[in-house]
Amino acid sequence: MTIEQPRTLAEDLRARGDGALSALLRARPDLLSPVPNDLTQLATRAATRASVVRALERLDRFTLQTAEALAVAPDGCAYGTLRGLIAGEGRGDAATGLDELDAALPQALAVLRTQALVWGGDDRLRLVRTARDVLAPGSGAPSPTGLGPTVAEATAGMSPGRLQEIVAAAGLPATHDPISAAGSLAALFADGARMTELLSGAPEAAKAVLGKLVWGPPYGEVADASATSPPVRWLLDRGLLLPAGRRNVLLPREAALHLRGGRVHRTPEPLPPQVETVARDPQAVDANAAGQAFAAVRTVEELLQQWDTGGPPLLRAGGVGVRDLKRIATVLDVPEPVAAFWLELAYAAGLVASDGEADEVYAPTPGYDDWLRLPAERRWTGLATAWLSATRTAGLVGTRDAKGRALSALGPDLDRSLAPEVRRRTLELLAALPAGSAVAPDRLLARLRWERPLRGGVTMDALRADLVRWTTTEAELLGITGRGALSAHGRALLGPGADSGAEKGRAAGGTAPAEAAAALAPLLPEALDYVMLQADLTAIAPGPLEAPLAETLNVLADIESKGGATVYRFTPESVRRALDAGRTAAELHAFLAAHSRTPVPQPLSYLIDDVARRHGRLRVGAASAYLRCDDDALLSELLADRRASGLGLRRLAPTVLAAQTDPAVLLDRLRAMGFAPAAESADGDVLITRPDARRTPPRTPPAPVTDGPPMPDPTLLGAAVKAIRAGDRASTAVHRGAAPVPAPADGNGRLPRSAAAETLATMQAAVLTGDSVWIGYVNAEGSASQRVIGPVRVEGGFVTAYDHTADAVRTFALHRITGVAELADDLGAHS
């Protein structure tokens, strides 16, 4: 029995099951914006140039090679013909084993069918015409195959007389017109035996010329077409080379295929390149990555502590200035590119933003306070998941855009939609390897180039190379990898099945952060509630400190060095800072005694008592400013000090001096002179001068700049398939007493028409009989559609019916129904 072949892509889609239709919409989500009315509209949308190009960019190298071979093959070729174009005819220097090719070719065709780029059975494979136009070699577009135009395309502008001369020189009989002459010449080049006979008489120099052009590019340059060398003239006379301008010749496609042994590509690549690895100890990898993960959390925390009372101002064009970035790098003791990465990471995680005030500055967000209250492992997963999905690319900081403007940290124009895909896929390649396997970035890049060879041309390929390099560096900084290998918690972060592809990894991403946190938690150092005080006025924290202890110690002492252990140094200025914050000397002594594993050294106790004794002896208040002190000798000393000459001091009373300056300035100047003044209120009470923490209004993290529409979830896919199927039934339905109504070429379908009275009567009859009917409907926005509905009730100018298109009960206004038609019995029962 002969099975009728589909004549169009729409018919092919109609013959597929719902699973194949779901796979198409999942692979090409751009086809769902908006949901097509029927399969004809879906096929039309799938064949547009923009959609086809986007689909081709998602193919791996061998699947793309298969599509390129189909673009060269005649339309409707058989599977054997396609295999011959890829594997060749047993001649040439093919380096790829036929077993690997025979195993990969059906899979490549299945992908092309899933993407609706190829349709038809194996005996008549058809490439979508738009894809053929994009991939087929031509005179105006170079092809990865290295092939040139066909004989018919290359001789389109040639004079009939010259064409007949070529036919005669090739030993072919004369023809009546140029079209048949070109066809005769093409048939000669495609006939292996006759071509072998023709080339057997070619000069060796002519064969050498063909050898230079056979694998492309197919164009060669000559001094002058009228005065060429004898070998080139021999080839031109027989059509093996055809003129392509005054100084150029080309090798026609049919001749090149014969010389290649029938192969479209010099080296078919059915298998991805092997990824060379270096084995590491998995336990050492996890320990190294966990230490770096903890360091990443502490670095972000330290960075935002510097901005706790307000960060640097925004540049006019947005972002952080170069000097501010250098200052941050100095504080964190890292290079500037690494400082830019930590800034961008905190921004992507929603921990820092601009405050939106008139004098706009950067400051931590309220989300930062919530983040600080989380355990260290959950703080890390928040940073890591934000990095994975962020399109902002810190590696671009310091480079220039197309207009020559420098790109700044936290500034605009840092989004690259390719970044999340490259990050995730790079880590997934590591996840597919045995635990502890490290890979060089250039090997990862070679694999990604095989998976996405058409991705955006030379410019995008250069960006992809940078993204792979930045990904490996940033993953190491974040602790996702350790010594170049993926850690256990990094593997958990990608989700189960991550090594099977990006789609499964994203689908499982909901529980991945919790699993990653659970894997990381046992590897992190336990927070300590103690320090070890030293006689040289330092304190050593042998590990991470609990948050309250660390917060108080940061006020009371200055961090001198960081690493596995943190060294804090106590100075008169740091102790005064704690007293300014409202602590008393007794409270500081009690705090140190409670949290030190060693006795409190006597020099430290003396330092606290000495600073506390002097603290507040001078009182600064607002007159415009005044100084008050019970020790009039101290005030006399101050009046005599030349360093105070700019303060405008004068004595009002034995214990009071007035100043011609602002109280805040007066406080700073006196502290610079070595005094320990305290501010006081109008009531004479000491003011706590520690500034309050500054926070932005509630902010959401920056939204990633997506490359195309997002991946639809299974619920949306199922609903879309039902709607398209129902709409297709409506557009192809046969109503009683009439022939099928064909859908127009644009795929919108032809709406039924009927009078208002007939519409009402048909609806009422359908309610009584329980039949489904076919209606045309115009919604409130003026959009027309056709639907198959099962009326349930007609009243008040509305029809309540089961809408097969939406798979739900809906209400339709009678005055918006353009017409109604009863379905044929078999179709009505089916719907």
Side-chain angles (χ1 to χ4, degrees):
M1 182 177 65
T2 302
I3 300 176
E4 184 179 355
Q5 290 282 351
R7 293 169 295 178
T8 64
L9 176 60
E11 291 181 3
D12 186 79
L13 293 174
R14 196 167 285 124
R16 297 186 189 183
D18 287 354
L21 198 56
S22 294
L24 168 60
L25 298 177
R26 190 181 303 111
R28 298 176 65 178
D30 57 297
L31 301 179
L32 281 173
S33 301
V35 176
N37 291 336
D38 51 37
L39 290 173
T40 301
Q41 190 179 71
L42 176 65
T44 303
R45 193 178 295 175
T48 60
R49 184 178 181 86
S51 182
V52 166
V53 169
R54 183 181 291 274
L56 291 174
E57 288 182 344
R58 312 299 297 187
L59 302 179
D60 62 58
R61 180 162 293 163
F62 183 68
T63 306
L64 185 60
Q65 287 181 333
T66 303
E68 289 167 347
L70 281 170
V72 172
D75 192 26
C77 75
Y79 180 86
T81 303
L82 172 63
R83 183 188 179 281
L85 287 170
I86 296 177
E89 301 170 358
R91 299 189 300 274
D93 56 349
T96 303
L98 293 180
D99 292 341
E100 290 86 353
L101 192 146
D102 287 335
L105 186 55
Q107 298 176 9
L109 275 176
V111 172
L112 292 173
R113 282 195 175 99
T114 299
Q115 298 266 10
L117 295 171
V118 168
W119 53 280
D122 284 350
D123 57 337
R124 192 176 298 174
L125 296 168
R126 295 182 182 273
L127 187 66
V128 172
R129 183 169 298 278
T130 311
R132 181 179 293 274
D133 294 340
V134 171
L135 297 176
S139 57
S143 169
T145 62
L147 294 171
T150 63
V151 172
E153 293 169 345
T155 60
M158 187 177 292
S159 67
R162 175 59 184 150
L163 194 53
Q164 291 300 327
E165 292 175 3
I166 293 175
V167 169
L172 299 172
T175 63
H176 298 288
D177 58 80
I179 295 178
S180 58
S184 178
L185 196 61
L188 169 64
F189 295 159
D191 190 324
R194 289 195 293 165
M195 269 291 283
T196 302
E197 182 181 354
L198 177 64
L199 291 172
S200 64
E204 290 300 321
K207 294 180 181 178
V209 171
L210 292 177
K212 293 179 180 179
L213 302 179
V214 63
W215 291 109
Y219 296 92
E221 185 176 353
V222 294
D224 193 331
S226 62
T228 56
S229 61
V232 174
R233 173 52 56 191
W234 191 93
L235 296 170
L236 285 169
D237 289 343
R238 289 156 182 78
L240 291 168
L241 291 182
L242 294 171
R246 183 179 178 183
R247 295 181 179 275
N248 295 96
V249 294
L250 67 87
L251 178 65
R253 186 187 307 171
E254 294 87 347
L257 284 173
H258 170 80
L259 296 170
R260 294 178 175 197
R263 292 207 310 277
V264 173
H265 299 89
R266 186 168 195 165
T267 307
E269 300 182 62
L271 300 178
Q274 293 295 322
V275 179
E276 300 175 3
T277 63
V278 177
R280 313 276 194 206
D281 180 13
Q283 292 184 345
V285 167
D286 291 345
N288 184 283
Q292 191 56 47
F294 186 76
V297 172
R298 294 189 66 180
T299 301
V300 172
E301 184 177 346
E302 182 182 357
L303 166 65
L304 296 183
Q305 282 176 353
Q306 299 296 319
W307 292 5
D308 199 53
T309 57
L314 271 72
L315 296 176
R316 182 178 301 176
V320 175
V322 175
R323 291 181 180 177
D324 292 316
L325 182 60
K326 289 182 178 179
R327 194 174 297 116
I328 295 165
T330 301
V331 170
L332 298 181
D333 194 21
V334 296
E336 290 175 36
V338 177
F341 166 69
W342 295 122
L343 274 178
E344 287 291 339
L345 180 63
Y347 181 57
L351 304 180
V352 67
S354 60
D355 61 3
E357 300 292 337
D359 296 327
E360 202 166 6
V361 299
Y362 287 104
T365 65
Y368 168 64
D369 297 312
D370 298 333
W371 181 77
L372 282 178
R373 288 190 284 269
L374 296 174
E377 63 272 14
R378 290 185 58 191
R379 278 186 276 169
W380 177 81
T381 55
L383 296 177
T385 53
W387 173 76
L388 264 181
S389 60
T391 55
R392 292 185 62 84
T393 309
L396 294 171
V397 174
T399 63
R400 297 190 175 273
D401 61 12
K403 297 182 180 179
R405 296 173 299 193
L407 299 176
S408 59
L410 303 186
D413 303 324
L414 290 181
D415 286 287
R416 297 295 183 271
S417 58
L418 188 61
E421 178 184 335
V422 171
R423 287 194 198 110
R424 177 170 282 277
R425 189 57 193 148
T426 299
L427 296 180
E428 285 171 348
L429 291 176
L430 293 175
L433 301 173
S437 299
V439 183
D442 59 335
R443 305 308 303 168
L444 295 171
L445 179 60
R447 178 63 177 266
L448 289 177
R449 281 175 172 157
W450 184 90
E451 293 184 350
R452 294 288 186 271
L454 258 191
R455 187 71 185 192
V458 177
T459 303
M460 292 297 286
D461 187 67
L463 173 62
R464 176 168 54 187
D466 288 336
L467 286 172
V468 171
R469 178 167 50 84
W470 294 333
T471 295
T472 54
T473 301
E474 293 168 0
E476 197 78 14
L477 285 173
L478 260 175
I480 296 176
T481 60
R483 302 180 63 194
L486 189 66
S487 63
H489 49 275
R491 195 180 302 268
L493 185 70
L494 297 176
D499 56 341
S500 302
E503 305 300 339
K504 292 182 180 179
R506 276 191 289 271
T511 60
E515 294 174 358
L520 177 62
L523 303 175
L524 294 179
E526 186 177 351
L528 304 178
D529 62 351
Y530 67 89
V531 294
M532 292 182 291
L533 298 176
Q534 307 293 309
D536 60 349
L537 298 180
T538 61
I540 297 177
L545 300 178
E546 292 181 347
L549 173 58
E551 182 178 358
T552 302
L553 203 57
N554 284 333
V555 177
L556 180 58
D558 299 322
I559 296 178
E560 190 169 78
S561 65
K562 296 176 291 186
T566 304
V567 178
Y568 295 86
R569 177 163 295 280
F570 299 94
T571 65
E573 291 75 17
S574 67
V575 174
R576 191 203 66 228
R577 188 170 62 227
L579 296 173
D580 287 343
R583 297 294 186 109
T584 64
E587 290 173 342
L588 295 180
H589 286 303
F591 168 80
L592 293 175
H595 293 286
S596 177
R597 284 289 177 90
T598 58
V600 178
Q602 194 175 54
L604 179 57
S605 298
Y606 286 168
L607 174 65
I608 294 174
D609 291 338
D610 184 55
V611 174
R613 183 169 52 253
R614 293 185 294 114
H615 185 265
R617 291 178 65 192
L618 288 176
R619 301 294 183 91
V620 176
S624 56
Y626 65 84
L627 282 129
R628 185 170 64 83
C629 182
D630 295 335
D631 186 354
D632 58 346
L634 180 59
L635 293 182
S636 299
E637 177 188 344
L638 186 58
L639 278 171
D641 196 325
R642 274 190 261 179
R643 293 175 296 173
S645 59
L647 298 177
L649 300 177
R650 61 188 181 88
R651 191 185 292 270
L652 298 181
T655 59
V656 179
L657 296 181
Q660 302 299 318
T661 186
D662 182 81
V665 175
L666 183 57
L667 280 167
D668 292 338
R669 291 286 299 277
L670 291 175
R671 285 168 179 167
M673 294 168 62
F675 296 97
E680 74 176 13
S681 67
D683 298 328
D685 297 326
V686 175
L687 292 175
I688 297 175
T689 58
R690 185 185 180 190
D692 294 331
R694 185 166 185 172
R695 296 291 182 265
T696 69
R699 293 280 193 266
T700 57
V705 178
T706 58
D707 181 16
M711 185 64 58
D713 57 45
T715 303
L716 177 59
L717 276 178
V721 170
K722 287 183 179 180
I724 294 171
R725 288 288 189 194
D728 196 60
R729 286 198 298 271
S731 64
T732 58
V734 181
H735 60 83
R736 288 176 179 160
V741 179
D746 62 3
N748 287 330
R750 186 174 299 169
L751 297 180
R753 300 286 178 180
S754 61
E758 182 183 352
T759 298
L760 178 60
T762 304
M763 289 291 183
Q764 291 172 335
V767 171
L768 296 175
T769 60
D771 292 337
S772 294
V773 295
W774 176 40
I775 67 169
Y777 192 73
V778 180
N779 62 18
E781 288 76 28
S783 177
S785 62
Q786 46 190 330
R787 301 165 182 268
V788 175
I789 65 171
V792 177
R793 183 171 62 254
V794 180
E795 62 182 12
F798 292 91
V799 178
T800 302
Y802 177 76
D803 185 357
H804 292 268
T805 304
D807 194 21
V809 175
R810 291 190 172 179
T811 301
F812 302 90
L814 273 171
H815 69 277
R816 295 190 179 276
I817 298 176
T818 65
V820 63
E822 297 178 354
L823 298 175
D825 290 338
D826 55 342
L827 291 176
H830 175 72
S831 65

